[in-house]
Amino acid sequence: MRKQRLVLYALLAGVVGTALSQPGHRMQRRLSAQEDGIGWLSNYQEAVRQARETGKPIFLEFRCEP
Amino acid sequence: MDQVDIGLFDYDRNNTLYFFILNADEQIYSRYGGRDSKSPDTYLSLASLEIALKNGLDLHRRSQQGELKAPERPKPLFPREIPLLVERTFARNACVECHLIGDFQNLQRERDGKLDKLTHLYRSPDIKTLGIQLDVPQGLVVKETQGAAQTAGIKPLDRIVALNSTAVWTFGDLQYQYDKVDRRAERIRITVDRNSEPVELTVDLPVRWWWTDLRFRQSSVEPRPYFEDRPLTEQEKRTHRLKPEGFASEVKYVGDFAKLMMSHDLKIGDIIFAVDGVETDELVNSAEMFIKLRRSPEQKVALSVIRDGKRMEMPLKTFRMSFRK
């Protein structure tokens, strides 16, 4: 049976900015947020705090956890 | 999920994956996700996700420049405000999973007499019932149209930009707005971008536009009859001397659980022409649908059946789905 958890991401602008600058096979690279050193947050209030501090939007994910 | 405002982050909890793009003031710009009954990822793709992210950034810039009006925030709702959820999960130190929130919300509504099956069970209506096929990697670009959408004038290569005047940027946005349409509505307005010009079109909603196959859902409030059927044709109804406007249907599948639980004695090929003496219903076109819409789990009903040309009465007991909670 599935588990679901909340995962949050507060650095959307950084991800897309990196992605759009890379030619060829861009999609795999651009979505590898962990490889880019960008971490998902699991604390929503911390994500809101960082978004307010940096002026960046939040990319919030609800997903099943295998 | 304990601290999440599920009133703000409202979505069909049977999505396997769902995203929101928002700002620090919790203004939601857009959603990414949505599904049909066949697969959790029919409408998901990396290319459409890229479009969603670009749109999200653009909306954020517009918001920061004061060009985007913040919508009214929905009424807050937290998981601890749902008594059954507290009783069955928090009190037992169990994980508050997304689909449990959806199911316990519905169980609570059922207990409180506030369950509206058309709205609460049949979430995420499918735009394919309107005849809209999207070019999924292109986001909301229409690939082809049939039926109501074609009649309304929606064309391939149109890009859907609004539903009932609410802007939509992704399939997730579109399905969420479609889900918010009153189930009694007869038409909706869809605005498309055609050659960089907005065109608003009125789509007449087909009968049962809200209907989706519920079987993939983990739902405790949907009565389980453990058979599947198909509506009879008009010719078949005439042959069996049944009401032309009735919901008579032929049994196509009988689940193993039917025998195991002694739910009923239906056989493939049986024709069900009435449930508890009722033969017609303005909303339904099969006996299975009638039971799911008009009856409850763990309820006894009487079926009127034609088997090998002979009419008979047969009892059926519906069951309540049980899954880990």
Side-chain angles (χ1 to χ4, degrees):
Chain A
M1 194 61 78
R2 303 170 307 176
K3 281 186 178 178
Q4 294 187 329
R5 69 171 182 173
L6 173 67
V7 183
L8 302 126
Y9 193 37
L11 295 167
L12 173 64
V15 176
V16 177
T18 303
L20 298 180
S21 66
Q22 296 177 358
H25 303 293
R26 296 180 306 170
M27 212 56 213
Q28 283 186 341
R29 292 290 305 157
R30 71 185 59 157
L31 290 177
S32 181
Q34 304 297 353
E35 286 181 12
D36 287 340
I38 301 168
W40 289 84
L41 302 173
S42 56
N43 182 315
Y44 177 65
Q45 294 309 326
E46 173 60 15
V48 171
R49 190 194 67 75
Q50 285 190 25
R52 195 172 301 286
E53 193 174 281
T54 61
K56 291 178 180 176
I58 299 169
F59 187 40
L60 173 65
E61 178 189 32
F62 293 82
R63 69 175 169 89
C64 288
E65 187 179 59
Chain B
M1 294 293 294
D2 192 1
Q3 305 299 321
V4 175
D5 180 353
I6 56 175
L8 177 64
F9 297 112
D10 176 41
Y11 69 97
D12 179 352
R13 309 288 170 194
N14 278 109
N15 275 276
T16 309
L17 198 63
Y18 209 85
F19 300 92
F20 292 87
I21 302 173
L22 65 153
N23 65 19
D25 293 328
E26 299 188 306
Q27 176 185 349
I28 294 172
Y29 299 133
S30 183
R31 299 154 173 267
Y32 186 81
R35 62 168 296 164
D36 62 12
S37 56
K38 286 191 179 143
S39 167
D41 57 6
T42 298
Y43 289 103
L44 308 182
S45 76
L46 292 179
S48 64
L49 175 61
E50 180 180 3
I51 293 170
L53 292 173
K54 282 181 179 173
N55 285 335
L57 286 176
D58 186 49
L59 290 164
H60 187 57
R61 272 190 289 270
R62 287 172 55 191
S63 173
Q64 288 180 314
Q65 291 164 6
E67 297 172 7
L68 202 64
K69 189 182 170 192
E72 190 177 339
R73 185 176 174 125
K75 188 181 172 190
L77 176 67
F78 292 90
R80 285 185 187 275
E81 294 174 42
I82 304 170
L84 266 176
L85 191 64
V86 173
E87 183 185 309
R88 307 278 180 85
T89 59
F90 290 110
R92 296 178 183 181
N93 252 345
C95 183
V96 184
E97 300 171 32
C98 300
H99 68 278
L100 292 187
I101 292 177
D103 194 49
F104 279 119
Q105 269 183 300
N106 279 340
L107 275 170
Q108 190 72 52
R109 289 173 177 133
E110 184 186 51
R111 180 179 282 191
D112 297 342
K114 294 178 179 174
L115 181 69
D116 174 0
K117 287 188 177 181
L118 294 192
T119 304
H120 300 133
L121 257 63
Y122 292 86
R123 286 207 74 171
S124 300
D126 194 338
I127 58 165
K128 290 196 285 292
T129 59
L130 298 178
I132 297 176
Q133 296 277 349
L134 292 177
D135 186 355
V136 173
Q138 299 298 315
L140 289 178
V141 174
V142 175
K143 190 174 185 180
E144 59 181 75
T145 57
Q146 300 164 324
Q150 191 176 50
T151 304
I154 299 176
K155 297 177 178 176
L157 299 181
D158 283 349
R159 184 168 58 85
I160 299 172
V161 296
L163 192 153
N164 286 346
S165 301
T166 300
V168 293
W169 305 94
T170 62
F171 175 76
D173 292 335
L174 176 64
Q175 191 171 46
Y176 187 67
Q177 292 306 322
Y178 192 31
D179 190 28
K180 289 174 83 171
V181 174
D182 189 314
R183 297 301 188 256
R184 294 161 299 185
E186 294 179 351
R187 56 191 64 87
I188 56 172
R189 286 171 289 115
I190 289 182
T191 309
V192 300
D193 179 298
R194 183 178 294 163
N195 301 322
S196 301
E197 292 290 332
V199 179
E200 187 177 88
L201 299 156
T202 300
V203 182
D204 290 331
L205 293 168
V207 65
R208 289 179 289 278
W209 61 271
W210 43 264
W211 185 89
T212 57
D213 188 344
L214 296 179
R215 282 173 297 175
F216 76 91
R217 295 173 180 275
Q218 294 177 315
S219 169
S220 304
V221 293
E222 177 206 0
R224 300 271 162 162
Y226 297 122
F227 77 87
E228 294 168 23
D229 60 7
R230 67 155 183 95
L232 291 192
T233 64
E234 288 181 16
Q235 177 61 46
E236 288 171 324
K237 287 177 189 173
R238 276 196 295 273
T239 301
H240 291 285
R241 298 194 303 280
L242 298 171
K243 290 183 179 177
E245 71 278 19
F247 55 70
S249 55
E250 180 187 357
V251 176
K252 299 299 293 179
Y253 169 80
V254 177
D256 292 339
F257 258 61
K259 274 199 167 41
L260 188 68
M261 307 299 285
M262 293 186 286
S263 168
H264 57 75
D265 203 20
L266 285 169
K267 292 180 180 176
I268 292 173
D270 285 349
I271 291 167
I272 307 171
F273 63 92
V275 179
D276 293 334
V278 179
E279 291 185 50
T280 61
D281 185 292
E282 59 178 352
L283 286 181
V284 309
N285 67 345
S286 79
E288 181 189 7
M289 192 185 291
F290 180 88
I291 291 169
K292 287 186 174 182
L293 263 187
R294 306 301 191 196
R295 295 295 180 265
S296 305
E298 299 170 325
Q299 187 174 6
K300 288 179 181 172
V301 300
L303 306 179
S304 299
V305 176
I306 301 175
R307 177 180 292 172
D308 300 328
K310 293 178 183 172
R311 297 192 176 207
M312 60 176 72
E313 294 294 305
M314 182 183 297
L316 177 147
K317 185 183 177 190
T318 63
F319 281 82
R320 189 180 293 278
M321 184 187 187
S322 177
F323 59 94
R324 184 177 67 83
K325 288 183 174 174

